Amino acid sequence: MKLKHGGNKMNKKVISTLVIGTLIAGTLAGCGGSSDAGSSAKSSSGKTELELFSTKPENKDTIQKLVDKYNESHDDVTVKVTAPPDAGTVLKTRMAKNDMPDVIAIGGDNNYTEVEGAGVLLDLGDQDYIKDVQEAYIDMVYDVNKDKEKTIYGVPFATNAAGVIYNTEKFEELGLEVPKTWDEFIDVLQKIKDAGEQPLLMTYKDAWTSLAPWNSMAADLAPENFADDRKAGKTTFVGTHEEIAEKYLTLLDYAQDDYMGLSYDDGNKKFANGDAVMIINGNWAISQYRNANPDVKVNMFALPSSNDESQNKVTSGVDVLLGVSKNSSNVDAAKDFVSFMMEKENIQTYIDEQFSFSALKGVEQSDEAVSGVQEDISNGKVANFEDHYYPSGLDMAALVAEFSLNRANGMDDKENIDQFLKQCDEKYDVANVD
């Protein structure tokens, strides 16, 4: 799912980083892996063994398929996948023991920042494939490096996208065009409502889904340097995020009455069966719609938060980064494996099987269900998930869900917005420990 993000340090710094930060279990939780071994070593057959530590449970089978392909084509190297339960805790413990895997596959959010900030990853900026990686995603890696260092410690491998997913058949029946601006979007929502259809479906019983609209709107409307300035204590949510909060509440006007009581799974089934025209989520949800109704026809567009069309970018983050441990006893073999993974054919296999997007130029997702955002993604008109820049201890989903619940319970909008933004600042300050 969203799911939601320099330099060599002494081991004391590694431990400090781990104590301060908490890797988010939802992002790093893994499935059972094939190995619990540490760094690379020689096997009984004399082959070099590399360990790939994967933190994303959904991609285990595809990762293993690519690893098998690599192993079959190499006589001197064997890669084994480690994907243990509670991967976050395992990786955190191993970092503290200076026992990093040879290669890691991790999300490009604040969890990566903790790993990179511990100084345990190798600079991969000199690799040949880097020139083919989209600059927009390279910039996202720089942005989540601990000190904004312009060094590629993690190579963007696969990406995702979030926005407005819509029922194309209902759009056609109602004579609707994809909106490009905020005013056009509100006009479309109102036309749907006037036609007696449900404009938006919200599934806020699962609080994490409330972040989808927030991430898209904040990415478009927050001040350009907000993440850096907020971290440095130079600005606050209060005074900068009022428009975002107001527009967020406007969207709730077009949600179903029980938006706080509907779960993600149940909501996906309802949307798939035509109970609403639009839903705000990511490409990861589309397979669930199809599982519920194989005949459902959907597409996606960027949530147009601004009336300046140029500001409205597809919310897209680096879903999987590949990194190499500085302490691997077989750095060259580890770098060779990453090069293999970055071959176009292998990335195409991954994005096709995982229904994701590629950070590599020339490799595109061809599914019609996301054709509405593919052009922007290919052209780099993308913005990272805003919560990737928040401290890992800040539970923004809980804050946004409470904000939405207050609206459902009839709290005055101004009072609600003031309280919400004040809480954002208070919780941010508690979590902003370096």
Side-chain angles (χ1 to χ4, degrees):
M1 280 185 304
K2 175 76 219 333
L3 300 186
K4 241 178 349 325
H5 230 67
N8 194 9
K9 309 290 191 297
M10 297 299 289
N11 200 43
K12 181 177 180 182
K13 174 64 176 175
V14 175
I15 297 173
S16 174
T17 300
L18 297 170
V19 171
I20 290 169
T22 301
L23 293 174
I24 298 173
T27 304
L28 295 181
C31 298
S34 58
S35 170
D36 289 325
S39 295
S40 55
K42 292 288 185 180
S43 67
S44 57
S45 63
K47 287 186 176 183
T48 295
E49 286 191 356
L50 296 177
E51 180 189 11
L52 169 63
F53 192 101
S54 178
T55 65
K56 186 177 174 64
E58 300 94 325
N59 68 8
K60 178 189 173 186
D61 291 343
T62 303
I63 289 291
Q64 187 63 58
K65 179 178 181 177
L66 293 172
V67 165
D68 289 345
K69 179 181 177 182
Y70 180 85
N71 288 340
E72 289 169 3
S73 62
H74 288 73
D75 295 330
D76 55 342
V77 179
T78 297
V79 178
K80 292 189 175 181
V81 179
T82 299
D86 197 10
T89 300
V90 173
L91 186 59
K92 182 167 57 176
T93 302
R94 290 183 58 175
M95 284 174 62
K97 294 180 178 179
N98 199 26
D99 178 32
M100 278 292 289
D102 300 286
V103 182
I104 62 166
I106 188 172
D109 54 14
N110 45 32
N111 302 302
Y112 160 79
T113 303
E114 293 192 31
V115 176
E116 178 274 328
V120 296
L121 298 179
L122 193 69
D123 177 6
L124 297 173
D126 62 348
Q127 299 299 290
D128 288 342
Y129 50 75
I130 294 297
K131 67 181 184 301
D132 295 320
V133 179
Q134 288 192 50
E135 289 184 9
Y137 293 112
I138 292 291
D139 288 341
M140 288 184 190
V141 175
Y142 294 158
D143 282 345
V144 292
N145 280 345
K146 187 174 185 297
D147 297 317
K148 305 291 181 182
E149 185 179 350
K150 295 187 181 300
T151 304
I152 304 173
Y153 295 111
V155 179
F157 175 70
T159 69
N160 51 24
V164 183
I165 302 170
Y166 66 101
N167 185 309
T168 58
E169 292 179 332
K170 286 186 177 292
F171 254 55
E172 186 175 348
E173 290 170 9
L174 296 172
L176 302 173
E177 298 289 334
V178 171
K180 301 295 186 181
T181 67
W182 175 256
D183 286 347
E184 289 177 3
F185 186 36
I186 297 304
D187 184 57
V188 166
L189 289 167
Q190 190 61 48
K191 285 179 178 177
I192 295 170
K193 190 173 184 178
D194 292 344
E197 294 271 9
Q198 179 60 50
L200 283 172
L201 200 68
M202 304 292 197
T203 58
Y204 290 4
K205 184 175 182 180
D206 290 299
W208 69 267
T209 66
S210 70
L211 272 178
W214 176 264
N215 277 329
S216 291
M217 291 194 291
D220 291 341
L221 300 176
E224 184 176 354
N225 297 316
F226 177 79
D228 292 340
D229 289 344
R230 186 63 189 85
K231 182 177 177 61
K234 297 178 180 178
T235 189
T236 57
F237 284 90
V238 173
T240 60
H241 281 56
E242 280 77 6
E243 179 186 0
I244 301 166
E246 289 168 4
K247 288 182 173 179
Y248 193 101
L249 292 181
T250 298
L251 294 183
L252 296 182
D253 289 337
Y254 296 95
Q256 81 284 4
D257 291 340
D258 69 338
Y259 61 83
M260 293 304 303
L262 185 64
S263 71
Y264 175 67
D265 289 340
D266 289 342
N268 287 344
K269 293 172 186 175
K270 284 179 172 291
F271 178 72
N273 288 304
D275 283 14
V277 179
M278 293 182 283
I279 194 167
I280 302 173
N281 214 303
N283 59 285
W284 52 82
I286 293 175
S287 60
Q288 293 208 19
Y289 308 149
R290 288 171 167 169
N291 288 339
N293 178 10
D295 296 323
V296 68
K297 300 292 189 295
V298 300
N299 207 330
M300 182 187 292
F301 60 86
L303 200 165
S305 310
S306 172
N307 281 323
D308 179 354
E309 188 178 334
S310 66
Q311 289 190 38
N312 299 326
K313 300 177 180 179
V314 176
T315 309
S316 177
V318 181
D319 196 40
V320 180
L321 287 170
L322 298 175
V324 172
S325 170
K326 282 184 177 180
N327 294 326
S328 171
S329 57
N330 288 282
V331 166
D332 288 342
K335 290 165 68 174
D336 179 72
F337 173 71
V338 173
S339 294
F340 164 84
M341 291 289 283
M342 293 299 294
E343 292 175 7
K344 289 185 176 181
E345 178 183 352
N346 297 325
I347 293 179
Q348 192 72 58
T349 295
Y350 183 93
I351 69 168
D352 288 346
E353 291 194 4
Q354 292 297 310
F355 194 24
S356 58
F357 300 89
S358 170
L360 203 69
K361 299 170 187 175
V363 182
E364 296 186 351
Q365 174 55 255
S366 60
D367 196 299
E368 284 298 313
V370 292
S371 60
V373 296
Q374 179 60 65
E375 182 178 355
D376 282 345
I377 291 174
S378 297
N379 292 333
K381 193 183 178 185
V382 295
N384 204 350
F385 292 80
E386 196 70 6
D387 66 329
H388 284 188
Y389 302 122
Y390 300 152
S392 60
L394 178 64
D395 190 351
M396 182 58 79
L399 292 172
V400 176
E402 181 182 351
F403 179 54
S404 303
L405 178 61
N406 289 340
R407 177 40 123 60
N409 289 337
M411 180 183 282
D412 175 75
D413 283 352
K414 184 179 186 309
E415 179 185 356
N416 192 14
I417 290 171
D418 290 347
Q419 175 180 296
F420 167 62
L421 296 180
K422 182 180 178 182
Q423 287 183 338
C424 287
D425 283 317
E426 291 174 351
K427 299 294 185 182
Y428 188 103
D429 288 338
V430 171
N432 189 28
V433 182
D434 196 359

